[in-house]
Amino acid sequence: MRTVQGVRSSRGESGTWDASLTGDVDAFVDIFDLHHNRVYRHALRLTANVHDAEDVTAAAFLELWRRRRSVRVVDGSVLPWLIVTATNLSRNLVRGLHRYRALIATLPRAEVADSAADIAVERIEEERIGEEVRQALGALSSADAALLALTMFEHYSPAQAAAALGISDGAARTRLHRARSRMATALGRSLVGDCETTTKEEPR
Amino acid sequence: MTMLEMDPVFTAALREVLVATVDDTPRVRRRWRWRLGAGMFVGSTLIAGGAALATGLFSPPGAPIDTPIGNVVTVTHTGPATIDLGPPPARATDLSLTLTCLTVGTFDFPNGSSMSCDAADLSHPPPDDQEASEVVQLTPGKDSVTIDTSANASWTLQAMYVNQVTTPWGTNARGQTYGVQNQKGTPDLIAVVVDQGKTQGYVKAAELNCAAGGNVETPAQALAWDKASENRNISIPVYESDGTTVIGTFIIGHATGPNARTVPFSSLSLDCSATGNGPAVNGP
């Protein structure tokens, strides 16, 4: 089960987030620096290319600020909320990004040599789940995909995932069971075994 | 294996935008309340800069601009439908579509993209989570737009012909192009926002690329570059559009620990001008 990581200040993520809510710029940047690569890697699992994943990550953090008053903090961390939001944005690029499209379009990106790009692609392939899994996740509802992502890839417990989505623990377990069954139909039994292994660690 | 990380240039620019957004939010609100309360209607430069950035209105050269042509057609419908928009005006290049879901459902746009709304989306105040916009290229001879959805899904569509022009990059006295990256490629000077959103300027594409490790050519160089970057950020100058007047710095990197330091690009012996040479991996 994931535990909350510290940030560079001594107040921990929970205190840093509280400071962000008061308009503390440095605190919000700390939150960004703490989580942006994890959100990006998660977006890469769900989108077709690097640029889409970057766009999703940008939109997730802009949404984190815009909706900061209603963000669900799980065990002191906003990462579960970011993962859920990135999941929704990845599945609904047109709607999710339209608010920020013009802004994101002005952000520069590195131009890398072809050989360096190949290196990057190799790393992405090592990090990414297969195309089959991405398509299988795409066939689930947003909430079910987020539940699976939080528990299967980010190793949160069902209770923590439920808190991130604002649903009851029992509802999360029921939905997880159904979502795993659908994934099993799409991918075979092995992945389902992985899911079960992961969630056995959950606290009761 | 080195963990995959987001493009450092994009990350640095996004960090600046977030800083500007956070920094402006409370002050904008307070000032507006105060000014409106005093019966005044004045936009300060702070508000103009912050609001423009936050809403994406900052449009340096090279950004696309959509100019509306003709009337807005608004239609509310349940189920799939094809809406006749009439013939496009002569200068129209694209169609701007804004779709609002009124019920739960998935709604497919003409270009293959789609939006979906669930009960949670509908529970929020409109239009935050019920609206999607898309600009689609016109198809010659086609004067209608089709929204595909299930029979009981309701929606409202606003459609408008627009003329989309990708503004040209600027060119300074030294012949350098400046603006944002677009489908034409990268200008010599790339637009950035720094100083908590208060400064809009340009960085040299060559310096930006080099400072981001753009000349890394082999896996060994990539690993060495990553290791050197663990505790090092690199600052590059931000210029006016003339490419010579320095007005700020743009910092690339994510080093934040106690050993983190920011070094100026000029202090690194990076040779990014010649192809085939990887960048030096150790800074001072």
Side-chain angles (χ1 to χ4, degrees):
Chain A
M1 183 177 70
R2 178 168 302 287
T3 55
V4 178
Q5 303 294 309
V7 290
R8 66 184 173 199
S9 68
S10 58
R11 56 194 167 192
E13 185 183 344
S14 179
T16 304
W17 177 243
D18 288 344
S20 298
L21 294 176
T22 68
D24 183 332
V25 173
D26 291 339
F28 193 73
V29 169
D30 276 353
I31 296 288
F32 172 74
D33 286 338
L34 181 65
H35 293 315
H36 75 267
N37 276 321
R38 186 170 291 277
V39 174
Y40 170 66
R41 288 193 283 269
H42 175 67
L44 271 177
R45 295 187 187 112
L46 301 171
T47 57
N49 62 67
V50 168
H51 277 196
D52 282 350
E54 289 167 352
D55 292 354
V56 164
T57 305
F61 279 94
L62 288 162
E63 282 288 279
L64 178 67
W65 179 250
R66 187 177 72 87
R67 300 170 70 172
R68 60 196 177 281
R69 301 294 174 197
S70 59
V71 166
R72 294 190 186 93
V73 179
V74 179
D75 290 349
S77 177
V78 296
L79 181 59
W81 188 93
L82 284 165
I83 295 293
V84 171
T85 301
T87 304
N88 293 336
L89 292 168
S90 300
R91 295 165 54 85
N92 217 336
L93 284 173
V94 175
R95 191 187 73 183
L97 300 184
H98 84 278
R99 184 189 303 277
Y100 306 113
R101 180 169 292 155
L103 178 61
I104 291 172
T106 65
L107 299 180
R109 305 180 199 242
E111 288 189 320
V112 295
D114 288 346
S115 51
D118 290 342
I119 296 168
V121 168
E122 285 175 17
R123 290 192 194 169
I124 290 166
E125 291 306 321
E126 289 174 30
E127 292 273 348
R128 279 178 66 170
I129 55 174
E131 179 67 19
E132 286 180 343
V133 174
R134 189 156 63 84
Q135 289 183 359
L137 279 173
L140 301 174
S141 73
S142 289
D144 287 354
L147 268 176
L148 269 187
L150 285 165
T151 55
M152 193 164 73
F153 303 120
E154 300 298 327
H155 309 300
Y156 285 102
S157 72
Q160 289 173 312
L165 285 158
I167 60 178
S168 71
D169 192 3
R173 290 170 195 277
T174 303
R175 292 172 80 155
L176 264 175
H177 178 74
R178 289 177 186 159
R180 285 180 200 146
S181 298
R182 292 194 197 110
M183 288 286 279
T185 302
L187 300 170
R189 306 301 299 178
S190 60
L191 188 70
V192 176
D194 291 344
C195 293
E196 288 171 347
T197 300
T198 298
T199 54
K200 274 177 185 172
E201 300 170 8
E202 69 197 65
R204 298 283 176 180
Chain B
M1 187 193 80
T2 305
M3 290 291 281
L4 181 68
E5 294 179 346
M6 197 159 66
D7 167 6
V9 173
F10 187 83
T11 302
L14 174 57
R15 187 185 286 110
E16 288 285 352
V17 164
L18 292 172
V19 166
T21 303
V22 173
D23 190 57
D24 279 342
T25 303
R27 273 182 279 172
V28 169
R29 286 187 175 170
R30 279 200 299 274
R31 283 174 186 243
W32 271 110
R33 283 185 190 136
W34 180 80
R35 290 178 190 281
L36 290 173
M40 298 169 66
F41 184 76
V42 179
S44 75
T45 53
L46 176 67
I47 291 171
L53 181 69
T55 55
L57 296 178
F58 171 42
S59 293
I65 290 181
D66 295 323
T67 305
I69 301 176
N71 299 324
V72 178
V73 175
T74 303
V75 179
T76 297
H77 204 86
T78 298
T82 296
I83 310 301
D84 186 3
L85 303 172
R91 291 172 47 241
T93 60
D94 293 76
L95 190 58
S96 172
L97 303 171
T98 300
L99 193 137
T100 306
C101 61
L102 304 176
T103 63
V104 168
T106 297
F107 307 85
D108 294 325
F109 282 83
N111 63 351
S113 57
S114 67
M115 70 176 284
S116 61
C117 291
D118 59 23
D121 295 327
L122 292 167
S123 70
H124 298 149
D128 275 11
D129 291 313
Q130 298 93 31
E131 191 178 285
S133 298
E134 187 71 304
V135 177
V136 297
Q137 231 173 3
L138 289 185
T139 304
K142 188 176 182 186
D143 302 345
S144 63
V145 58
T146 298
I147 301 297
D148 195 13
T149 188
S150 55
N152 56 353
S154 297
W155 45 275
T156 293
L157 178 73
Q158 288 184 306
M160 176 174 56
Y161 286 114
V162 298
N163 175 257
Q164 186 176 78
V165 175
T166 298
T167 56
W169 289 326
T171 304
N172 64 20
R174 303 169 70 196
Q176 296 169 313
T177 53
Y178 60 90
V180 298
Q181 292 163 306
N182 58 27
Q183 70 271 20
K184 288 164 60 182
T186 300
D188 298 320
L189 300 165
I190 302 175
V192 295
V193 176
V194 295
D195 191 21
Q196 302 192 352
K198 298 179 186 67
T199 303
Q200 295 164 6
Y202 300 89
V203 293
K204 291 180 178 174
E207 290 182 351
L208 184 73
N209 213 29
C210 196
N215 275 30
V216 165
E217 292 188 335
T218 67
Q221 285 178 342
L223 289 172
W225 178 265
D226 285 345
K227 183 164 181 55
S229 300
E230 282 177 4
N231 292 313
R232 182 188 69 187
N233 300 311
I234 300 175
S235 66
I236 60 174
V238 176
Y239 303 92
E240 294 274 18
S241 60
D242 62 11
T244 56
T245 308
V246 176
I247 56 174
T249 56
F250 183 82
I251 296 173
I252 303 167
H254 56 84
T256 57
N259 298 322
R261 66 195 195 286
T262 298
V263 298
F265 176 77
S266 58
S267 72
L268 299 174
S269 303
L270 299 182
D271 178 10
C272 294
S273 55
T275 57
N277 293 329
V281 295
N282 295 314

